Structure formats: structure tokens, C-alpha cells
Amino acid sequence: MGRLAVVGGYGILGTEFATAATRLDVETPYGAVAVLDAGPYVVLQRHGLDRFTSAPHINHRAHVRALADLGCDRVLGLGSVGSLHREVAVGTFVAPDDFIALHLGISFSDGAEGHQSPGFDRAWRAVVVERWGESTDVPLRDGGVYWQTIGPRLESPAEIRLLAAHADLVGMTIASECVLAGELGIAYAAVCVVDNLANGVGDTPLTMAEFHAGAAVNRTRLVGALDAVLPSLANEDSVS
């Protein structure tokens, strides 16, 4: 059985489920990656352990290659997102089932190997949703479309109106990871936490103070849910 990788943003580090982890520095053809070995699973901070790297500058190829080299065959990607619709309220946890990332030109290959049919792994995603429901009382919304933008800036209200016609959530990283994981045969599923209503969806323009406050409020719930869910996901048989 391969290992589980948990990939998340700044909100999960230094919290209960990763405190006993040991740092590993992994060399890859795409660069060095620092990960945390938590025993049953590996934790990767996508924005970096030593310094914060903003979304468009994240070395996703190195990250995914490092996880493969460590024997990971499935990834639980955690994402802080904005909601494109008022009914998907702040504090909602969502397991998206599709994504839009039309600007991406990311691949491990410059040849025909890069041609693929991308998406969240259906079998692994089903396991995540099922185990989540069995292990924690934090509700997980099953399904939704994630739109990945470039960043690091947030989107304008006009951009959000365009996105909202086709998607439910907006973020900057999940699709890149999913595409690359698929190329290496690593099953990828995501749980996204709505930390804010996207710019223009709420009654007032989104401020950075509001953005950070939402993430701080949801962090405790996310970590509590992970403490409950990760043991069963780490022991799950490979789904690839």
C-alpha cells in the first residue's frame, strides 16, 4: 500500500495533526522540496516551510515529484477558497468534483505524454467523502466546480461575475496539483474550505482583513476534522 499525502496551505502547519512530524528535504529534478513525515502520511505545505511562496510561483512539479518519490499514491489536497455564490456560505467544506483552469499549461512532459483527460480521481474522492462523513460531524458538501485563477491578487468583481456563471469556488492551486498528480498515476481528491465570499458576492467589497479572518475562524474546525479523518484515510488501501 502506498502512502497518503496531505497537501495544504498555511493554515495547517503548526497544528495538532502535524506537530510530531519530522522534516524531510527531498531532491527532485525540478528542485528541492521540504515535507513533513508524520508516519502514516506525509504533509506538504504548498506555500513552503521556510518562506511563503505565493500561488503563481509555487513549484508544483517539484512538489508532486517529491510525493511520488516518497511512495505516495494518493493525495488529499486542502484549499482555502472563495465562494462564488451566497448559498455556499463562509465555513462550508466542499469536495469539488470538477475544475476549470483554462490558463494552465503545466505538465511533466513537453511531448505527447502530456495529453491526458484530467480530473479528480473518482474512486479516491468517493473514499474521502465517505470516510469524512463517518469520522467527523463537520459537514462536507459533495460536489462543486473549482475555478483556478492565476493569483496572487484576488479577483475583481467583474471577473467573479464571469466565473460564477460556470463554477462554485475560486482558488489558485488545486487544479495544478491535480493535473500533475494524474500524470504520475497519483490519485487526487480535494477538500476546500470557504473562507470568504468572493469579491463582489457579498454586500461590500472583500478586504484582506476579511479574507484572513475567515481563514482563522475555519482553521480550528479543519484541524479537528483532519484529526478525526486522517487515520482512516492513511490506512485505506490504494485506489489507483
Side-chain angles (χ1 to χ4, degrees):
M1 180 176 70
R3 302 183 75 189
L4 168 67
V6 182
V7 181
Y10 61 88
I12 65 170
L13 289 184
T15 54
E16 289 84 345
F17 84 95
T19 51
T22 302
R23 175 174 173 145
L24 296 175
D25 291 289
V26 182
E27 293 291 337
T28 81
Y30 309 98
V33 179
V35 302
L36 297 174
D37 187 340
Y41 47 86
V42 173
V43 179
L44 190 152
Q45 161 56 281
R46 65 170 64 94
H47 292 289
L49 285 177
D50 300 316
R51 59 177 294 273
F52 183 87
T53 300
S54 66
H57 301 288
I58 293 173
N59 191 343
H60 292 292
R61 291 179 182 86
H63 287 179
V64 176
R65 181 70 260 176
L67 296 179
D69 291 347
L70 290 170
C72 298
D73 67 352
R74 56 205 188 280
V75 173
L76 175 63
L78 306 171
S80 170
V81 297
S83 171
L84 297 171
H85 305 284
R86 285 176 181 261
E87 60 268 26
V88 186
V90 174
T92 304
F93 285 51
V94 183
D97 57 2
D98 206 348
F99 62 77
I100 300 171
L102 299 175
H103 66 284
L104 283 187
I106 191 167
S107 175
F108 284 110
S109 173
D110 60 1
E113 298 86 352
H115 297 165
Q116 63 161 307
S117 179
F120 300 112
D121 185 277
R122 293 179 66 183
W124 172 231
R125 183 184 168 280
V127 168
V128 169
V129 171
E130 182 177 358
R131 298 293 178 268
W132 192 284
E134 294 171 347
S135 304
T136 176
D137 59 1
V138 176
L140 180 63
R141 179 170 174 151
D142 185 0
V145 177
Y146 174 103
W147 190 310
Q148 181 171 315
T149 56
I150 298 173
R153 68 168 179 83
L154 301 183
E155 302 75 31
S156 72
E159 290 168 337
I160 291 299
R161 289 194 296 273
L162 173 67
L163 273 56
H166 307 282
D168 306 290
L169 312 167
V170 60
M172 301 177 187
T173 56
I174 293 292
S176 294
E177 294 171 357
C178 184
V179 168
L180 291 172
E183 288 192 2
L184 296 186
I186 301 173
Y188 190 101
V191 170
C192 296
V193 184
V194 176
D195 286 335
N196 57 270
L197 296 178
N199 195 16
V201 175
D203 295 325
T204 58
L206 177 64
T207 66
M208 292 312 299
E210 182 182 355
F211 173 83
H212 292 299
V217 169
N218 288 324
R219 189 172 302 141
T220 299
R221 294 175 66 229
L222 173 60
V223 172
L226 290 173
D227 283 337
V229 173
L230 287 181
S232 62
L233 292 180
N235 291 322
E236 188 70 32
D237 288 338
S238 173
V239 294
S240 298

